Amino acid sequence: MPPEPALADVVARLRRAMRRAARTADPDNTLSVAQLELLSCLAENPGARPSRVAQLLKLAPNSVTTMVTGLRSRDLVTRTSGGDDRRTVALELTPAGREAVDRYQGHNAAILAAALDRVHPAWRHLIAAAIPALAELVGAIDDLAETGQPG
């Protein structure tokens, strides 16, 4: 049997498990996963235009606009004119937005550290060794998403 279905299943289950654990670790967090992903995207791409954020997250532009409006009302994102062309818009994290991203990433790191402590040392070694290959796989998937190749 090819590894793709098993890998896709494990990745999906890992994402669900991380979301559940993050909710448990931070029950006071009222942001959705989509909002946290948008904030994380802005942390990686400061000053991005809403259309670029939509492209990166594979969301409809109106979905990004709706989320940005909500995040602006919570003082997590600012929206400014994009340089010389006043018709364009640039998005930036506010200090509170940066704190939300840091908190989210910190919880994720703590969850993974605690979970890895429960994994047999030989598996921990293999997981650590697989990180560069998984990072390359992420890049290849991102390339496919950018070029619109079939999935």
Side-chain angles (χ1 to χ4, degrees), residues 5-39:
L7 180 58
D9 179 58
V10 168
V11 168
R13 290 174 44 215
L14 177 62
R15 286 179 48 95
R16 284 191 303 273
M18 289 295 297
R19 283 194 300 265
R20 282 193 315 271
R23 289 287 177 217
T24 301
D26 192 10
D28 295 331
N29 175 25
T30 58
L31 296 171
S32 70
V33 171
Q35 289 171 318
L36 289 165
E37 288 181 356
L38 189 146
L39 292 173

Side-chain angles (χ1 to χ4, degrees), residues 18 21-26 29 36 40 43 97-115:
M18 289 295 297
R23 289 287 177 217
T24 301
D26 192 10
N29 175 25
L36 289 165
S40 296
R98 178 77 244 175
E99 184 180 318
V101 170
D102 290 346
R103 186 170 156 172
Y104 176 61
Q105 291 174 343
H107 283 300
N108 283 337
I111 289 163
L112 285 170

Side-chain angles (χ1 to χ4, degrees), residues 40-115:
S40 296
C41 182
L42 287 179
E44 295 169 7
N45 301 279
R49 293 179 179 180
S51 60
R52 179 65 179 148
V53 172
Q55 180 184 32
L56 290 168
L57 295 177
K58 294 298 179 195
L59 295 172
N62 63 334
S63 296
V64 170
T65 299
T66 300
M67 277 197 285
V68 167
T69 299
L71 293 169
R72 284 181 63 212
S73 72
R74 296 173 75 165
D75 193 35
L76 299 172
V77 172
T78 61
R79 186 175 175 230
T80 59
S81 64
D84 295 337
D85 186 350
R86 298 182 70 90
R87 295 170 297 172
T88 64
V89 170
L91 301 173
E92 297 278 351
L93 292 176
T94 64
R98 178 77 244 175
E99 184 180 318
V101 170
D102 290 346
R103 186 170 156 172
Y104 176 61
Q105 291 174 343
H107 283 300
N108 283 337
I111 289 163
L112 285 170

